[in-house]
Amino acid sequence: MAKVFVVTSGKGGVGKTTITANLGCTLAKFGEKVCVIDADIGLKNLDVVLGLENRVVYTLLDVVNGRVNAHEALVRHKQLRNLYLLAASQIATKEMISPEDMKAIVKELYPKFDYVLIDSPAGIERGFRNAVASADSVLIVTTPEVPAISDADRVIGLLENFGFAEKSMKVVLNRFKVKMVKAGDMLTREDVQSTLALEIIGVVPDSEDVIIATNKGLPVVLNGSVDVSKVFENIARRLKGEEVSIDEDLFRSSKTGIMALIKKLLGKKRG
Amino acid sequence: MRRMWFGFFRRKKKREKSRETACKRLESILERRRSVAVTEIVSKAEFEENSEKIRQRIVTWVSDAFEVGKERVKVEFEEHNGYIVIITNVLFE
């Protein structure tokens, strides 16, 4: 039976899809059988981030309409053979799918997978309700900025009303800039944790590699960025229940010195 | 010239770091936010079954709270983005 996670945020543009794609890939790299579902109907992107946009034949809507079953609609990843995508439809709207439809789809999929990750749309309307309906746990993605944290707080309140316990909700702090934090110009991990009063499961550093990887249609964990890959590996291990200190994430991104500089220069040349 | 001289040696006011500003703003935003009143989510079928009872309870509560006759309170239910929105109009005079 799969563990079902929904990746949500409230505010748009904080990196939900990138986090879903990279976590899915990392878990698959660890040998887990993973299904990622794009619940952002109408504004789908998960297939693009995974580089699978040309392979999508059937979408979530085809499953809901009974044209195919959920397994027939899955697209297998090119490199990671145990990673599957259930894509969203671009022509449909969120109102065409109900929370009950999502529950039925996930129920059909989860006996065959170890992990199901659902990429939620931004906002707190129908699309969000569809995405969270079938999940056991939630990953709330936020950046260390006031609007993103404020919206994340709102979403946490709604999730509590939907019956999610505090233990089942974790925060992923994305686009963290150690340099700015050191200069006193960005909220720290502790600030975010005390504001949201939830455990932070990962701190993903801001990285140009993510943009380069997205341009290539290859998640950053498959594109050779060692530092960011290591952070996603840490998050995946924590999801699996392993004890990995959160300081490991920050240690990687705060490395300075001559070796880090040389690595950075070499990395830039490669890119 | 004298003013410039003194200005040069005057202690510069410490500029507030943007992290501190962000912390204060977050605190005030989250303080002002009203808590979500929802304590229980009911299914659509359950709501439809009891909608008249809910309407009557709202009418009674509003007419007591504003001291107006029940006939002056109008309650409507509308669905927006999967949520039920309760619109209550009170005709005072």
Side-chain angles (χ1 to χ4, degrees), chain B residues 23-34:
Chain B
C23 284
K24 284 179 194 163
R25 290 186 63 213
L26 261 177
E27 206 182 317
S28 91
I29 290 168
L30 301 181
E31 242 172 39
R32 271 184 281 129
R33 179 166 291 162
R34 278 179 293 172

Side-chain angles (χ1 to χ4, degrees), chain A residues 127 147 167 184 221 226 264:
Chain A
K167 263 200 315 199
V221 293
V226 182
K264 205 175 172 187

Side-chain angles (χ1 to χ4, degrees), chain A residues 143-173:
Chain A
T143 55
E145 292 154 285
V146 176
I149 297 169
S150 160
D151 287 359
D153 183 70
R154 186 86 175 142
V155 160
I156 293 164
L158 284 171
L159 290 166
E160 279 172 356
N161 283 321
F162 288 152
F164 285 96
E166 207 180 298
K167 263 200 315 199
S168 61
M169 297 186 279
K170 306 268 190 278
V171 175
V172 178
L173 187 53

Side-chain angles (χ1 to χ4, degrees), chain B residues 75-89:
Chain B
V75 177
E76 277 170 24
F77 299 128
E78 278 181 20
E79 193 190 332
H80 290 275
N81 290 317
Y83 292 97
I84 299 289
V85 178
I86 302 172
I87 303 164
T88 308
N89 281 304

Side-chain angles (χ1 to χ4, degrees), chain A residues 185-205:
Chain A
D185 281 326
M186 186 173 264
L187 291 164
T188 64
R189 170 172 61 99
E190 290 79 11
D191 292 334
V192 179
Q193 183 148 17
S194 68
T195 306
L196 298 178
L198 284 182
E199 187 194 335
I200 293 184
I201 200 171
V203 182
V204 184

Side-chain angles (χ1 to χ4, degrees), chain A residues 5-6 8 132 135-140 159 164 168-171:
Chain A
F5 289 91
V6 62
T8 187
V132 301
D136 325 309
S137 307
V138 189
L139 298 177
I140 301 136
L159 290 166
F164 285 96
S168 61
M169 297 186 279
K170 306 268 190 278
V171 175

Side-chain angles (χ1 to χ4, degrees), chain A:
Chain A
M1 287 285 190
K3 287 183 185 171
V4 185
F5 289 91
V6 62
V7 183
T8 187
S9 67
K11 188 181 176 299
V14 293
K16 288 179 295 294
T17 306
T18 309
I19 300 281
T20 310
N22 282 291
L23 267 182
C25 288
T26 309
L27 286 164
K29 261 172 44 180
F30 284 169
E32 307 285 353
K33 201 170 175 198
V34 184
C35 176
V36 287
I37 302 177
D38 193 348
D40 197 352
I41 298 140
L43 288 169
K44 60 165 195 86
N45 273 321
L46 192 54
D47 54 340
V48 180
V49 175
L50 287 166
L52 298 173
E53 67 273 19
N54 294 329
R55 297 195 175 194
V56 175
V57 180
Y58 298 110
T59 67
L60 207 64
L61 194 66
D62 295 312
V63 182
V64 171
N65 292 340
R67 219 163 286 148
V68 286
N69 69 40
H71 292 279
E72 286 167 329
L74 294 175
V75 182
R76 203 173 193 177
H77 194 266
K78 291 178 269 189
Q79 284 162 275
L80 299 161
R81 305 305 286 165
N82 45 347
L83 175 67
Y84 294 81
L85 164 75
L86 179 54
S89 166
Q90 193 143 34
I91 47 159
T93 64
K94 290 164 183 89
E95 283 68 34
M96 289 175 171
I97 291 170
S98 70
E100 283 67 36
D101 294 330
M102 279 299 285
K103 274 186 201 167
I105 291 167
V106 172
K107 200 175 169 190
E108 194 182 332
L109 289 171
Y110 76 43
K112 299 260 170 74
F113 289 93
D114 299 313
Y115 287 89
V116 174
L117 305 179
I118 305 165
D119 183 23
S120 158
I124 51 172
E125 289 90 24
R126 173 65 82 90
F128 163 76
R129 297 202 322 138
N130 286 345
V132 301
S134 53
D136 325 309
S137 307
V138 189
L139 298 177
I140 301 136
V141 182
T142 182
T143 55
E145 292 154 285
V146 176
I149 297 169
S150 160
D151 287 359
D153 183 70
R154 186 86 175 142
V155 160
I156 293 164
L158 284 171
L159 290 166
E160 279 172 356
N161 283 321
F162 288 152
F164 285 96
E166 207 180 298
K167 263 200 315 199
S168 61
M169 297 186 279
K170 306 268 190 278
V171 175
V172 178
L173 187 53
N174 197 20
R175 298 205 196 110
F176 193 75
K177 296 188 182 191
V178 174
K179 239 182 171 178
M180 283 188 78
V181 171
K182 279 184 180 165
D185 281 326
M186 186 173 264
L187 291 164
T188 64
R189 170 172 61 99
E190 290 79 11
D191 292 334
V192 179
Q193 183 148 17
S194 68
T195 306
L196 298 178
L198 284 182
E199 187 194 335
I200 293 184
I201 200 171
V203 182
V204 184
D206 190 47
S207 170
E208 288 173 11
D209 293 335
V210 176
I211 300 168
I212 296 166
T214 309
N215 288 344
K216 290 180 182 172
L218 207 58
V220 71
V221 293
L222 303 178
N223 199 33
S225 170
V226 182
D227 286 357
V228 183
S229 298
K230 187 68 195 163
V231 171
F232 279 107
E233 280 173 19
N234 290 343
I235 300 174
R237 289 211 164 90
R238 290 178 197 122
L239 286 183
K240 290 176 74 179
E242 289 177 34
E243 289 265 332
V244 183
S245 165
I246 201 86
D247 293 327
E248 292 257 321
D249 299 0
L250 292 169
F251 173 72
R252 293 226 144 233
S253 47
S254 64
K255 266 193 308 181
T256 48
I258 196 96
M259 281 311 284
L261 186 72
I262 294 168
K263 261 188 185 175
K264 205 175 172 187
L265 287 170
L266 288 173
K268 269 196 180 155
K269 265 188 189 169
R270 261 207 322 260

